[in-house]
Amino acid sequence: MKLNSPLQVYKYLPQINCAECGDATCMAFAAHLIDRSKKLDDCPPILKDEYKKKYLELQALLAPEIREITIGTGEHAKRIGGDDVLYRHQLTFFDPTAFAYDVWDTMPEAEFLERINRIANFRKFYVGKFLKVDMVAVRCVSGDPLKFAGAVKKASETTKLPLILCSFDPAALKSALEVVRDKNPLLYAATEKNWGEVAELALNYKVPVVLFSPDLDKLKSLALSFREMGIKDLVLDPGTYPQGKKLKETFEKFIMLRRAGIKEGQKDIAYPIMAVPLNAWLVYKDAVTASYWETVLSSVFTVRYGDIMILHSLEPYAMLPEVHIRDTIYTDPRTPVKVAPGVNEVGSPTKDSPVIVTTNFALTYYTVESDLSSNKINCYLAAVDTDGIGVEAAVAGGQLTAAKINDTFQKANFDFKDKTSHGTLILPGLAARLQGDVEDVTGLRVMIGPPDSGRIPGWMEKSWPPKPK
Amino acid sequence: MTKKIKLSELGNLFGGLDVQALEGVKIEGDVEIDLGQMGMNPQMAYALGHETAQLALHLMNISRILGYPVDQMLGASPAKPARLTKLIESKFSVGKIEEWKTPIQEVVLGATSSDGGTRKSTITLGGETALPYYFDSPMPHRNHITMDVFDMPINMAKAVKSNYEDVINSPAEWAKKVVRDFGADMVTIHLISTDPNIKDTSPAEAAKTVEEVLQAVDVPIVIGGSGNPEKDPAVLEKAAEVAEGERCLLASASLNLDYARIAEAAKKYNHVVLSWTQLEINAQKELNRKLMKQCNVARENILMDPTTAALGYGLDYAYTNMERMRLAGLSGDAELNFPMSSGTTNAWGAREAWMVSSPLKEDSDWGPREYRGPIWEIITGLTLSLAGNDLFMMMHPTAVQVLKEITQTLYGGKESEPVNIDNWVGAVL
C-alpha cells in the first residue's frame, strides 16, 4: 500500500469517532487499516455518497502492492496475491499460496472422480484448525475440446473447489469455459502465440487468466497488453524449470518479479506468481523421487513468492510437508501462536501419572507434548493461558502465576483428589520460583521439573513417583 | 453520452471528408451497426453482431474496408481498451539491493597439515553479500552438511536407525560410514554419554572418542557436548585439547553455561566456537558480543546457531529469526554477520516424521512414515537454507542427498539436461 502511517489514513476518514467500526476513534481504525487487520468497508459512514471521493482515493492508496485476485465462487473461492512486503517479519504475508492438484481429461472416470475427492477431502489437523488444499487443475491431455469440456464439467459437478482450466488451445479453453462460465475458473494460459484469442476469452467470460512466458520481457509485454485490453486479473507464470541452472534462473525470476512489484512499485508486473512444481514429473519417472522433488520445489516457491501452484503428487508424504511449510510462511508473526488453555491427556494417564504444567504458547506446548508422547510418558499436561508467551518470559512478565495455574485446573474441572493418587503438580524448571505460591494457592504438593522438557524422561526416573512425605 | 450511429452514416461522415488518418477518435457508448446496408456476408455479420465488446475493433475493420488508414491510428491512439493486433513491446528490469554492503564473515573449519592440522581438506562457510542464491551477487561458498555421530547408542526414529545399526556401538565406524557412504562433508561427534543423567562419562574418556573419530575420517569435525550446562565446559575443554590445531567446531557456547571457558579452549587450541541461542535475536547479539569483546574470540572463529525448530513445531520462528539476522548482518550489524548452523536433525522430533499414523481420526491418512521422516528433515533444512543457513547438522542419508541436490542447484553448481516445459499441460505423467 502507498500509505505507512495512521495519520495519513486518518486524513481520508470521516473523523467523527462514531465507533461503528468497533474502534473507539477514527485514528484507531486508521491504525487497523495500516496493519491490514480491518478493511475500509468496515467503516459504514465512508460508504455514504458524501464521502465517495475520499473512499475511492483511500481505497486506491490502501490497495496492496501485489494485485489481489479471486478464483472460484462462494465459500471455496480463494484469493491470491495481496502482498505488501518481501519478508514476513515486516508485516505478514497475506493470501496463503493456493495449492491446485491436477486431473486430466484422459483419465478413466472412476479414477478421475476418486482423485478429485482425495484432493477435496484432504485435511490435516494443526493448532486448532485443519490444513487443506484449495483447487483442482484440469489438464487437457486429449487435445480434444469436447473431451476437455466433458472433464471440466465432471470436475465442477464433483467438487466446489475452484478450477484451473489448463490448455494452450483457445478452442479447448472456450469449450471448457462454456460449461463453467459462472464458476470463475482460472484460465491457463495465454502465451506469445495464442494471446489474442485467450484475451478474447478472458474478456468475454470475465475470468482471471495466467500469462506464461519464461522470458520476463515477453511476460511483461503480455501483462501490459492484457492490461491495455482491460484485463486486470492476471497471474504470471515465468515457467518452473525442474532442474539445474534453469531452476536457479526460475528462482531468480520469482525474486525479480516480486522485488519489482513490491520494492520498486512496478505496477505493470505486480501480479500473483504461479509455480508449477508438477514439472518435477517431467524429469523423474520414479514416483517417490518425483514426489520428493516436487515437494522440494513447492517448498522453495512457497517460501519465495509463489502465490499459486500446480502440483501432482497426492502422496501424504508430499502433501503434509507442503501444507505445513505454507502454514509456516503465512502464519501471522505479529500474533503469538497459542493453543487452547486446558488440561490435556498425553497417552493414557492413570491415577499414578504425573500432572505437568506448561504454557499455552504453541511452540512450548507442542515441544513439551512431543517430548512426553515420544517418550511414552502417560500424564496430564496443563496449558495455562499465558497469552501465548513462553514459560520464562511469562514468569517474568506475570502471565504465569499461581492464580492462573489454579484457574486452569478449576476451569477444566480437574479435581486432584479424584484424578490422582498423589495430589502433586509438576512445575517447569524455569518457573521454580512460583513453587511456594502455587503450594499456597492450590494446597497441592508442588515439584519442580527440569528446565527443558527434553529432560523429563531422566527426571522421571529419578523423581517419580514422589516419595511419601 | 449515448450516440447511435449507423454504418451508412459513418460512411457518409467520412465520405464527405478528405480523411488521411483518424486521430484521437474515440468510439464510446452504444453503437448500433446497421449491417444490412453494407451487404456483408452472413458470417461477418454474425461475428460482428454477437460480441458487443468487440465493437471498437470491428468498427476499425469496417473503416479499413471503407479504405480509411486505421492501422496508423492504432498505434497513435489507444485511447480506449481495445483489442491489440500485436503485443506491446517491453523490457523487464529490476535493481539490486543497495543496503547489502556488509559481507558475512568467512569462517574456515578444519586444518590441513600446512596449517597445523591433519585434515585432508577444509571447508569455508560465509562470505555472502546477499540472501542465499539471489542474483544480486553469487554465494562464494556452497552449503555444507555435517552428519551426526553419537558416542553411545541412542533412541532414533526407525527410518534413521536402520541406516546405522551396524555401526551404532562404534563412533569411529559410524563416522567412516557417513563420509564414505552418505557423502557427509563433515562429522559431528555428540558426546552425549558425558551427561551426568546418562552415563556421566569423564571428559578424558570422551576425549578419546574424539581422537578416534579424528583418526577414522579426514574431514573437519564438530565436537558436541551433551547439552548439560554444568558438564559441557569441562568436556569441550578436554576435547579441544586432544584435537589441538584441527579447527573443530565446538558446540556450543551459550548464555546459560560458562561460555568463557569454551571460548578460552577454542583460542588456546585453535578451534571455532558455535554461539548458540534459543530463537532470540537480542540474545544472539549479546552472546556474540560477549564472545568477541569479553573473551576476545576473533571474528573468523565464530559461527552461530540461532536454534532450529522442526517444520510444524516453530519453524516459522526459526526461519524468521535466521532471515532477520542475515538481513541485519548484510546491512551492517557486526554482531550478526556470521555464518549460521542448523540442528536440522531436530526435524525428527516432529511426530509427522516418526509416528506410525496420525493419532487423530479426522486426519487424512498419513501414509508410510518411512517416507515422511526424510522429507520432514529436508524441508526443515531447505527452509532455513533460504533464510541464510550455511551448515546443516543432519541424520538421514536420503535427506542429506536431497538437501545437497537442491541447495547446490540453487547455488548454481548443478548442470542438467535441457527440459522442455512448454507443454507440461499435455504431458502424460
Side-chain angles (χ1 to χ4, degrees), chain A residues 88 200 221 245 248 292, chain B residues 54 88 92 320 371 410 415:
Chain A
R88 60 189 289 276
E200 206 63 46
S221 200
K245 294 263 162 63
K248 181 177 174 57
Y292 259 54
Chain B
Q54 297 184 341
I88 300 168
F92 174 82
T320 284
Y371 295 137
L410 294 175
E415 300 293 341

Side-chain angles (χ1 to χ4, degrees), chain B residues 6-9 34-40:
Chain B
K6 292 187 176 182
L7 263 190
S8 54
E9 294 169 357
D34 184 351
L35 292 161
Q37 298 180 22
M38 288 299 292
M40 276 180 194

Side-chain angles (χ1 to χ4, degrees), chain A residues 180-195:
Chain A
V180 288
R181 57 186 313 151
D182 54 346
K183 300 271 168 64
N184 193 34
L186 176 63
L187 276 192
Y188 186 98
T191 65
E192 267 182 84
K193 290 187 189 128
N194 69 11
W195 64 272

Side-chain angles (χ1 to χ4, degrees), chain B residues 301-316:
Chain B
N301 292 333
I302 297 175
L303 212 68
M304 52 185 187
D305 176 358
T307 292
T308 291
L311 175 61
Y313 295 81
L315 182 60
D316 49 330

